Amino acid sequence: MYLVSAGQQADFLVLKKNQHTIKSFFAGSQVNFLAASTRYYGRIDAIQKDSVFLTEFDIRQMPTNLGVYVIDTVARYHVAFPYNQITAIAADRTGFSWSASGASLFGGGVLLTTIGAGTWLFTKPGTRYHASPSLVIGSAILGGFGYYLLRSHGDNFKIGSKYKLQYVRVSRATK
């Protein structure tokens, strides 16, 4: 006779938006938190007594004796912090990234605006390198649109008025 338990046996965290569960975090979950202006990325070892116990892995490319690079785990770090210090949770990346596209547009717009404005101001009109005002204005609009995409389509769930992180206590305290 086999006994199977399908229930949650330890404390866990629930990310909610307007009383609807978006995601649950429990021991064994891979997470990407922002807490006290520090980014934590790793595996949750345990959630106990209102604290999150996390293992972070330092993974790097390391050379071998043959001169070939392999990906290796250099170190593991064990971190613990109270769950109420979490200020944001990174969203899982799936599909098209609007914020990455916004960053590219913003960077390209700033670069074109800077170079275009410089050549527009410091070269004579009618010469080969003179930038037209329409190029400068268009690239500034492109950079502004990129900035809008970057800010409005963020990849983080910011804990506050819109998103709430709730601690769910399942295990009993031992005396």
Side-chain angles (χ1 to χ4, degrees), residues 125-165:
T127 60
R128 181 177 179 183
Y129 297 109
H130 182 73
S132 66
S134 61
L135 173 74
V136 176
I137 292 169
S139 59
I141 291 171
L142 184 71
F145 183 66
Y147 182 78
Y148 167 74
L149 284 178
L150 182 62
R151 288 294 170 207
S152 65
H153 293 88
D155 290 337
N156 290 334
F157 298 116
K158 293 183 179 155
I159 308 301
S161 61
K162 191 173 184 183
Y163 296 101
K164 301 212 183 298
L165 190 62

Side-chain angles (χ1 to χ4, degrees), residues 6 10-11 15 20 44 53 56 62 86 94 98-99 114 168 175:
D11 299 353
L15 178 66
H20 296 287
I44 296 177
F53 297 90
E56 291 185 302
M62 302 297 293
I86 297 173
T94 57
W98 286 101
S99 61
T114 305
V168 179
K175 294 181 181 180

